[in-house]
Amino acid sequence: MGRITIFSIEECNFCRRTKAALSACSIPYTDINIEYYPSKRSDMISLTDRLTVPQVFFNDEHIGGADDALAILQKWDDDIAANDDDCMDKSPLERYIRVIESKPDPADERLSIPTSGVGPDTVQSMDFSASRTSEIFQSGDKQYTTLEFTKLLMQRMPRDSLSYWGCLYYNVFKGSSGVTALQRLFNYESRDEAVQLGMSLQRKHYLCHVCKDHVFGDNGYYFRLQPFHTPNILNSFRKWCDPVNDEPMLVIHRLGKLWSKLESRHLDEDGMVDHATIRNDDMYWKFEEEVCELQCINLQDMDDRKRMAFVINLYNVFIKYAFCKVGIPATSRNRASFFDDVWINVGGCSFSFNDLEHGILRANTRHPYQLTKPFGVRDSRKRLSLKKFDKRIHFALNCGAKSCPPVKKYTVEAIEEELRLAAMAFCEQEDNVAIVEESRQLHLSKILYWYMSDFVRSKDELPQMVAQYLRGEKKERLDKLMGIGNVSLKFLDYDWSSNDINCHEFQKGDLNDKSIFPYPGNPPSQKYELTQD
């Protein structure tokens, strides 16, 4: 029986769009994930002479990538609509059954369904529900995990904006109000019992004084629950006090798989990620807790090779997490704030996305549009900068925009080969590198304009640099163009839109925990909400 075969990777938006379009027509397909089955990557390349995904086959016939497959589905729709009663097929599914499923199985062994490897079933069966923390909170005969108890406090404890000496503190409560809430929540007979519980919660980092100056009590001091205490640090839902037994690369890969599974559960019919439904998923709150494990990962213990692979994966996972948690910036001003002011706690040090990219991966090199290096002379994080940066990281980092390179998993063992393939796949795509012989133009991604000095000494050297990452007919065309001379360069507009729907919009100032008089008209928007049970 014939079939549609798709070579894909989990986080690829183009792969998701293709599979969503087929599913919307009730058309079945066989998905071969080349990250789950690495040996199938060479099969895909030998069959298509392409490095990018998805690659789609109708039986033994190579159709092409996402745009090609979607164009065929659109043509099927148009044919059916145009012919109406005279058309042999009344739906795309009927067309699939007639022209594909009714034919024999693909004859090429390279299109065979893999039987060995990690496999999607293995990932789906991973126990993401089990708690990775050991602490249990008990009240009467009821027990709570750390996650359950934190969510309970978020639902039931008061939160307000309160002023003191010219400062307006957000998401806080007075000690006396906290005592009242705890007394009601756990049915204590006396307020003193609630005070004792609050003091215990403070010692265990469930709550803290806004300035960390005072002990919880039946008083007028301001306190805040841990999830609201440092809103600019993404993974601050809780303080991680449990031992980290897994190797750091296993931790970040596990978080990547958890987020990927979460996204796959909340795709619309066009393959777009629905943030509204993600935030209502219990697995999202599981991720909120587990990502705090990174607070105990020590980057200084890693050599440069391992640190590079770890930070690339960290950056790519946290961009998607940040989009969902704090919102997506829509303007240049807010985008600059997003990459500078949204932080991640790794090993007790806080890093912005710009710190990760320019401070660590680019070996503490100045951002193209900033005047200073990310890490100053006395910055203790400077020791974490790579000794020498690899320019190919620009083909591996995904900032969440549609024009960014696709997200892939990077490993310590194969980072060199993975970066080589990422660079070649990036340059293979016409959206990033396009050759226009008629006008002797080379169209290039804006990335190669922003970071030109990372690749070449002058703009005239860019064509030669790009050529080293091309193969086959495309390389021959560029070599021919360079042989003629006078190659004109055009840098393509960058598409900052994302593959997300029902998103918050990130705005500068959203992550403040307080403001100074005169206060703004409105406090930061609430994006960290839980409804009461």
Side-chain angles (χ1 to χ4, degrees):
M1 185 171 67
R3 69 170 188 265
I4 294 177
T5 305
I6 304 176
F7 290 91
S8 71
I9 59 176
E10 190 74 30
E11 294 85 1
C12 170
N13 293 331
F14 299 105
C15 301
R16 288 171 171 172
R17 282 176 53 212
T18 304
K19 289 184 277 190
L22 289 168
S23 297
C25 298
S26 301
I27 296 175
Y29 57 85
T30 296
D31 184 23
I32 299 178
N33 189 307
I34 59 176
E35 289 186 330
Y36 297 154
Y37 304 103
S39 63
K40 300 301 288 185
R41 182 189 294 273
S42 58
D43 287 342
M44 181 193 79
I45 295 173
S46 64
L47 281 164
T48 66
D49 195 33
R50 296 187 188 179
L51 297 167
T52 54
V53 289
Q55 295 301 327
V56 183
F57 286 80
F58 287 2
N59 291 327
D60 286 293
E61 180 185 0
H62 178 222
I63 298 303
D67 290 342
D68 304 300
L70 294 174
I72 289 177
L73 291 179
Q74 183 61 53
K75 185 177 185 303
W76 287 3
D77 281 334
D78 293 343
D79 289 346
I80 293 166
N83 289 282
D84 205 19
D85 295 336
D86 298 327
C87 184
M88 295 176 62
D89 311 305
K90 302 302 181 185
S91 69
L93 177 58
E94 288 187 17
R95 175 72 62 93
Y96 160 78
I97 293 172
R98 182 171 63 84
V99 302
I100 300 175
E101 190 179 85
S102 62
K103 309 300 181 185
D105 277 352
D108 197 310
E109 280 297 314
R110 292 170 294 182
L111 290 169
S112 61
I113 301 173
T115 56
S116 61
V118 176
D121 291 339
T122 303
V123 175
Q124 293 296 323
S125 64
M126 291 179 70
D127 187 6
F128 291 118
S129 61
S131 176
R132 290 175 62 79
T133 61
S134 57
E135 185 174 354
I136 297 294
F137 179 86
Q138 184 154 354
S139 175
D141 58 354
K142 187 170 179 58
Q143 291 186 334
Y144 302 89
T145 64
T146 303
L147 176 58
E148 291 170 339
F149 191 63
T150 301
K151 288 174 68 176
L152 178 66
L153 294 176
M154 291 173 68
Q155 291 170 330
R156 303 297 179 84
M157 294 296 285
R159 270 191 291 145
D160 207 345
S161 297
L162 302 175
S163 62
Y164 181 77
W165 279 77
C167 278
L168 185 66
Y169 294 90
Y170 302 122
N171 293 312
V172 298
F173 55 87
K174 290 183 179 181
S176 56
S177 300
V179 171
T180 300
L182 290 173
Q183 185 179 12
R184 290 174 178 172
L185 180 57
F186 297 105
N187 298 315
Y188 289 139
E189 293 184 1
S190 70
R191 294 180 67 81
D192 187 58
E193 289 178 280
V195 169
Q196 294 302 313
L197 173 61
M199 293 172 65
S200 174
L201 296 179
Q202 187 176 17
R203 288 193 298 270
K204 294 180 179 181
H205 307 290
Y206 284 95
L207 59 83
C208 59
H209 180 257
V210 291
C211 300
K212 298 187 176 181
D213 289 338
H214 298 283
V215 176
F216 181 82
D218 198 353
N219 51 44
Y221 295 127
Y222 296 171
F223 296 88
R224 188 186 281 127
L225 293 176
Q226 174 59 34
F228 304 106
H229 188 58
T230 49
N232 60 323
I233 299 178
L234 290 170
N235 58 328
S236 60
F237 178 79
R238 56 160 292 192
K239 291 281 188 179
W240 195 270
C241 301
D242 294 87
V244 178
N245 298 317
D246 289 339
E247 200 273 339
M249 291 302 294
L250 291 178
V251 173
I252 195 61
H253 285 160
R254 185 179 190 281
L255 290 171
K257 288 176 181 177
L258 177 55
W259 188 263
S260 180
K261 181 176 181 181
L262 183 57
E263 283 192 338
S264 68
R265 288 165 56 154
H266 299 281
L267 300 176
D268 73 354
E269 60 184 14
D270 296 319
M272 304 285 280
V273 180
D274 189 338
H275 283 199
T277 57
I278 279 185
R279 291 189 294 269
N280 291 325
D281 191 322
D282 286 342
M283 186 180 285
Y284 171 80
W285 296 99
K286 180 66 177 167
F287 184 89
E288 279 278 7
E289 180 184 37
E290 291 200 6
V291 80
C292 296
E293 191 170 356
L294 295 172
Q295 297 168 11
C296 297
I297 296 294
N298 193 341
L299 288 174
Q300 196 169 3
D301 290 343
M302 306 178 189
D303 60 27
D304 274 18
R305 186 187 186 92
K306 184 174 183 179
R307 193 179 304 141
M308 178 166 62
F310 181 88
V311 172
I312 291 173
N313 289 311
L314 174 72
Y315 184 102
N316 288 341
V317 172
F318 266 74
I319 281 285
K320 294 186 287 186
Y321 170 41
F323 275 12
C324 186
K325 182 171 183 175
V326 302
I328 301 176
T331 66
S332 297
R333 177 176 180 269
N334 289 332
R335 201 172 293 125
S337 175
F338 178 90
F339 287 101
D340 272 335
D341 300 334
V342 179
W343 293 354
I344 305 162
N345 182 335
V346 184
C349 294
S350 295
F351 302 90
S352 69
F353 288 108
N354 278 336
D355 291 335
L356 294 177
E357 179 177 2
H358 309 291
I360 296 179
L361 294 175
R362 293 184 67 231
N364 202 30
T365 301
R366 183 180 61 83
H367 185 289
Y369 296 101
Q370 293 183 353
L371 298 176
T372 59
K373 294 181 178 182
F375 304 149
V377 176
R378 299 185 179 181
D379 194 325
S380 61
R381 299 172 300 170
K382 187 178 178 182
R383 67 184 186 277
L384 302 173
S385 301
L386 300 185
K387 296 180 181 65
K388 181 180 179 182
F389 84 88
D390 190 319
K391 60 191 177 187
R392 296 172 299 179
I393 63 156
H394 295 299
F395 307 127
L397 295 177
N398 184 297
C399 69
K402 285 185 177 178
S403 286
C404 286
V407 175
K408 299 176 182 177
K409 184 179 81 171
Y410 292 87
T411 63
V412 179
E413 300 77 15
I415 185 69
E416 283 293 324
E417 178 66 7
E418 289 159 353
L419 287 175
R420 184 183 75 86
L421 291 174
M424 294 175 70
F426 181 87
C427 293
E428 183 178 278
Q429 291 183 297
E430 289 294 300
D431 290 342
N432 299 322
V433 176
I435 302 162
V436 186
E437 284 113 331
E438 297 81 8
S439 57
R440 284 194 274 181
Q441 280 191 332
L442 179 61
H443 295 183
L444 298 175
S445 164
K446 206 62 168 279
I447 291 174
L448 297 176
Y449 173 78
W450 292 326
Y451 298 103
M452 190 184 305
S453 62
D454 287 358
F455 293 96
V456 294
R457 289 171 296 181
S458 70
K459 188 168 76 170
D460 294 338
E461 298 175 2
L462 271 177
Q464 188 64 48
M465 185 281 298
V466 170
Q468 68 180 303
Y469 297 123
L470 297 179
R471 304 174 305 125
E473 183 262 345
K474 192 170 186 178
K475 178 174 173 57
E476 292 174 3
R477 288 168 56 209
L478 181 55
D479 287 342
K480 180 180 177 181
L481 196 63
M482 290 191 295
I484 297 172
N486 295 322
V487 179
S488 174
L489 300 182
K490 178 182 178 180
F491 295 98
L492 303 169
D493 291 337
Y494 207 73
D495 184 357
W496 285 104
S497 63
S498 68
N499 195 55
D500 307 281
I501 59 173
N502 296 324
C503 319
H504 294 306
E505 181 180 341
F506 175 86
Q507 297 191 35
K508 184 177 176 64
D510 271 358
L511 304 180
N512 293 337
D513 63 342
K514 63 179 182 293
S515 61
I516 309 298
F517 184 85
Y519 311 133
N522 297 303
S525 56
Q526 296 296 331
K527 299 173 180 176
Y528 211 168
E529 295 293 334
L530 272 176
T531 56
Q532 291 197 10
D533 294 333

